[in-house]
Amino acid sequence: MYLVTADEMREMDNRTIDELGIPGLLLMENAGRGATDFFLEIFGKMHPMRVAVIAGRGNNGGDGFVMARYLSEKAIPITVFLLARKRDVKGDAATNLAFLDRLSIPVVEMPDAAAFTTQQSRLRHHNVYIDAILGTGLRSDVKGFFRDVISFMNETGTPIFCVDMPSGLNSDTGQPCGICIQGQASATFGYPKIAHVTHPGVNLTGTLKVVDIGIPSMIAKKVAPHQRLLRPAIARRGIVLRNPDAHKGATGHLLVVAGAAGKTGAAVMTTRAALRTGAGLVTLGAPAPLNPILETQLLEAMTLPVPENGQGIMDTLALHTVVDALNGKQCLAVGPGLGTAPGTKNLVCQLVSRTNVPMVIDADGLNCLADDLDRLKERHAPVVLTPHPGEMARLMKISTQEIQQDRIACARHLATTCGIHVVLKGAGTVIAHPDGMAYVNTTGNAGMASGGMGDVLTGMIAALITQGAPADAAARTGVYLHGAAADTVAKISGPFGYLAGDVIDAIPGQINTLVTARGASFPG
């Protein structure tokens, strides 16, 4: 499903009107009617119901006027509080405002702070608010008495239904513009906006319904939004089905370079996750002194003792051993528990320029690259980076807060400038590709905020590549399956307290669920 910016949605509206001749008034009618249907799904059993539509003078207000008309027809007491003078409302919104006057639906002009102050007691007599104030397109902070109105609406504790977008929310980033409506439910039109699925916007949106307002799919394809929701149909593309006569040599061989003294767990989890995701063979290359420990932990994998610096840390002494070991491998996963000693940084950078198979780089591998991102231009095969926000901040030389303020833009920038695939982890993980397309994941939960989860994801993505999936598809599928496996564990174990190892064990079941959901199965 497309995930759109405010500009992309506006272009869809305009093309529908200009190229197909579908009137804007009809689109507004469809929006208001669909929003009313959803409003009644949420609040229809409330009794008594006294509804206040708080409306701006633009098209968002116009959608609210249509809702007021439909609700009035159902004999629901409703009052419109207009944050402007009636004469200031133009276009299709003005047409729908005029309908309210003809139907004797009360409209209270509230164009300034003084008028708002006098109407506060009247507003308090309503037990549901419809927010039709600002909608999409907001970029700067909410100011003036609009800010006071939004603050008042939130502070009353009255449930709020949002038209298209909670007022005050930047639809392209999911960040509040100084202040924002806290919605209980929202009806958006045409396609979901970025803010509806990214944090904190997803929490401010409440329950979301996408209303079809009549924009043809051909128009959406012409606009070609650069974001999509990661849904099962897309996630399936990273799973390579097997022939009945498949054997371990035909399902790929992955090399994992990970681990250091005190960090063997990360290496083990990456390796186990790769095996559970279906890699036929996995070899773990780790510092030689750690090999006896790792061999007892990994019964199904092979281990490769790698030269180290005498302190249980790999450095450039390991380079030739690792490069030689890549012979016959389909993918290289680097970084979990590796450490960031100067020699280790040099090792990672040289591997980027000397590896001829796709690489998945995570954790310490990312920190080793942070001061030499230009090295990625020397790659000979696709590269997938899987940073969490802190690692992403180090890669981009900005603060973690700046990363979180616009996750899609940051992931896209790094992916397009370096020509790589970027998996920016966190709630609503973003997967960005060199062509600028970005996906927002829809699986996962807060229980994943525990050690080792990122190591699991690294192994999963690398295993999918090893089995023959393109790097972009593997990144998307790995992220989706990772979250889905955690969701399954959470349903059984509770919202938190489960371990990364529990998620690893749930991976095969999620692969089966994803594959069979479309009526397909593994051959044989």
Side-chain angles (χ1 to χ4, degrees), residues 158 165 167 187 235 382 384 412 421 454 456 487:
T158 303
M165 179 71 56
S167 291
V384 181
R412 177 181 283 134
H421 307 280
V456 173
D487 287 341

Side-chain angles (χ1 to χ4, degrees), residues 447-469:
M448 299 174 75
S450 67
M453 293 293 178
D455 305 318
V456 173
L457 179 60
T458 299
M460 295 178 71
I461 295 172
L464 293 167
I465 294 173
T466 297
Q467 294 170 77

Side-chain angles (χ1 to χ4, degrees), residues 53-312:
V53 177
I54 297 90
R57 66 181 186 180
N59 284 343
N60 194 241
D63 298 331
F65 303 152
V66 176
M67 288 189 69
R69 173 159 46 86
Y70 277 104
L71 291 171
S72 178
E73 289 176 1
K74 294 184 178 295
I76 294 173
I78 190 159
T79 302
V80 174
F81 293 84
L82 177 64
L83 305 185
R85 298 289 184 190
K86 290 181 181 180
R87 63 174 179 268
D88 295 329
V89 180
K90 308 296 182 184
D92 295 334
T95 299
N96 277 299
L97 179 60
F99 290 157
L100 301 186
D101 284 340
R102 295 172 196 167
L103 294 170
S104 300
I105 296 172
V107 177
V108 178
E109 292 180 314
M110 203 165 62
D112 52 39
F116 166 58
T117 299
T118 63
Q119 295 296 333
Q120 286 188 24
S121 60
R122 186 174 180 182
L123 279 164
R124 291 182 188 276
H125 281 90
H126 297 81
N127 56 4
V128 185
Y129 293 151
I130 293 177
D131 162 31
I133 302 172
L134 295 171
T136 62
L138 185 67
R139 296 291 183 272
S140 58
D141 283 357
V142 180
K143 297 178 181 178
F145 90 101
F146 274 46
R147 182 183 181 91
D148 297 335
V149 171
I150 291 173
S151 178
F152 169 85
M153 291 169 67
N154 286 337
E155 289 173 1
T156 63
T158 303
I160 303 173
F161 181 91
C162 303
V163 177
D164 206 6
M165 179 71 56
S167 291
L169 188 62
N170 185 314
S171 63
D172 293 354
T173 67
Q175 299 296 318
C177 293
I179 192 170
C180 180
I181 287 289
Q182 174 62 67
Q184 181 172 328
S186 300
T188 195
F189 309 126
Y191 293 93
K193 317 308 182 288
I194 292 171
H196 292 136
V197 299
T198 54
H199 288 265
V202 64
N203 296 326
L204 296 165
T205 295
T207 305
L208 179 68
K209 174 76 172 289
V210 180
V211 174
D212 181 1
I213 61 173
I215 294 176
S217 59
M218 61 171 287
I219 295 293
K221 290 177 181 177
K222 284 184 178 181
V223 174
H226 284 76
Q227 310 77 218
R228 292 188 180 185
L229 280 176
L230 181 52
R231 307 296 291 172
I234 296 173
R236 291 186 194 109
R237 298 173 188 172
I239 296 178
V240 178
L241 298 181
R242 300 182 179 184
N243 293 320
D245 60 348
H247 56 85
K248 63 185 179 184
T251 52
H253 194 163
L254 167 67
L255 177 62
V256 177
V257 175
K263 297 181 179 180
T264 55
V268 169
M269 284 186 285
T270 298
T271 303
R272 287 193 63 238
L275 289 164
R276 284 292 192 185
T277 310
L281 296 166
V282 181
T283 295
L284 170 60
L290 304 179
N291 198 63
I293 299 170
L294 295 170
E295 283 189 324
T296 62
Q297 294 292 315
L298 296 167
L299 301 181
E300 297 89 355
M302 293 173 282
T303 59
L304 174 68
V306 175
E308 41 80 44
N309 66 357
Q311 298 177 325

